[in-house]
Amino acid sequence: MILELDCGNSFIKWRVLYADAKQVFGEGVVDSDLALLESLNRLEGLSLKHCRLVSVRTTEETAALTSLLAQTFSVSAICAAPAREMAGVRNGYEEFERLGLDRWLAMLGGFHLSPGACLVLDFGTAVTADFIAGDGEHLGGFICPGMPLMRNQLRTHTRKIRYGDIAAERALESLVPGRTTVEAVERGCSLMLRGFVLTQLEMARSYWGEDFAVFLTGGDATLVSEIVPDARLVPDLVFVGLAMACPLS
């Protein structure tokens, strides 16, 4: 079996594939290394042979996790690394090593699934947008705060804004003007995300007309999916790129 990990700033997304890499044995999202081990240990019949991961965490944090996995499951993790060019995509950063690996792998995955011009939008702790031309040239991208960052900043810096996750979820059942603080905050942040997406689409059309694919990925992608009806919602887009960057044979 193959363990795949996407180690983000706030969470670790994981999945276990059968040896042929075609079927998922188990998957989930956790907030710590120990929670990951607990989730994996609950899988009956787990037999890991390989592990590959992408991490935007510090070198020390990533090393601690790979060491823990080696001790617990006797697997050596293969870590995705920066590249100037891979699978037909050319990294557009002036210093290619500084492009976030999760963004890089999502671009590889998007271009692989739909060769040609594409816009990749990833909705996690931060929201990122990346433009890949039809010839595989990465034109660059944008980064802005995602829902968790916007929400937490308002909660942290505004004394009277206090509410829980359940209230936040209910507030997003509609986008009419809020009549409570939680509704005003959650709907305001959601509309900011939508505005960001519409701006990216407008820019993509200025480059390619209507001849481009749009990929949505990340935990909050569903918040904007209805305003991009032709987009492909691919929750595991980073894992698609991870398999390309870290082949096992």
Side-chain angles (χ1 to χ4, degrees):
M1 294 179 180
I2 306 164
L3 173 62
E4 296 184 327
L5 302 173
D6 177 4
C7 305
N9 292 298
S10 303
F11 299 99
I12 300 174
K13 185 175 183 180
W14 64 271
R15 72 177 186 181
V16 175
L17 305 177
Y18 286 99
D20 61 3
K22 294 180 179 179
Q23 287 184 296
V24 176
F25 177 74
E27 60 186 343
V29 179
V30 293
D31 60 4
S32 69
D33 295 358
L34 292 180
L36 172 63
L37 294 188
E38 291 174 359
S39 296
L40 293 174
N41 283 323
R42 283 197 293 266
L43 294 176
E44 293 186 13
L46 180 68
S47 179
L48 295 179
K49 300 299 181 184
H50 304 283
C51 175
R52 55 192 173 201
L53 66 84
V54 55
S55 176
V56 297
R57 301 182 171 193
T58 66
T59 302
E60 293 75 19
E61 288 173 321
T62 303
L65 175 57
T66 57
S67 176
L68 196 59
L69 292 170
Q71 293 172 16
T72 307
F73 300 107
S74 300
V75 291
S76 297
I78 303 172
C79 300
R84 171 63 72 187
E85 183 172 354
M86 182 178 292
V89 180
R90 291 182 297 282
N91 192 316
Y93 260 32
E94 294 177 1
E95 299 177 67
F96 73 91
E97 303 93 339
R98 299 187 68 83
L99 176 67
L101 282 171
D102 51 349
R103 290 172 62 193
W104 174 238
L105 296 186
M107 285 192 286
L108 294 182
F111 195 76
H112 172 73
L113 294 176
S114 182
C118 58
L119 169 63
V120 177
L121 299 166
D122 192 341
F123 299 86
T125 303
V127 175
T128 61
D130 283 289
F131 297 77
I132 304 95
D135 62 358
E137 185 71 30
H138 174 219
L139 304 181
F142 299 96
I143 304 172
C144 74
M147 283 292 284
L149 284 178
M150 287 192 284
R151 180 186 295 128
N152 290 340
Q153 284 296 302
L154 285 169
R155 284 175 173 174
T156 300
H157 297 287
T158 308
R159 291 183 180 180
K160 292 186 178 181
I161 295 181
R162 297 289 184 273
Y163 55 85
D165 293 338
I166 295 177
E169 187 174 338
R170 289 175 179 166
L172 288 173
E173 293 175 355
S174 168
L175 286 178
V176 300
R179 296 171 65 89
T180 65
T181 298
V182 61
E183 290 177 352
V185 169
E186 292 297 314
R187 295 172 188 178
C189 290
S190 180
L191 289 173
M192 288 188 72
L193 278 193
R194 289 171 173 237
F196 177 81
V197 170
L198 293 174
T199 300
Q200 307 313 301
L201 291 172
E202 183 179 321
M203 186 170 294
R205 292 189 185 102
S206 74
Y207 287 139
W208 308 308
E210 298 296 330
D211 189 19
F212 64 96
V214 181
F215 288 93
L216 306 179
T217 191
D220 285 327
T222 55
L223 294 179
V224 301
S225 57
E226 68 180 55
I227 65 170
V228 199
D230 295 329
R232 294 181 62 175
L233 180 61
V234 186
D236 295 328
L237 190 59
V238 169
F239 285 145
V240 175
L242 179 60
M244 299 165 65
C246 302
L248 299 175
S249 59

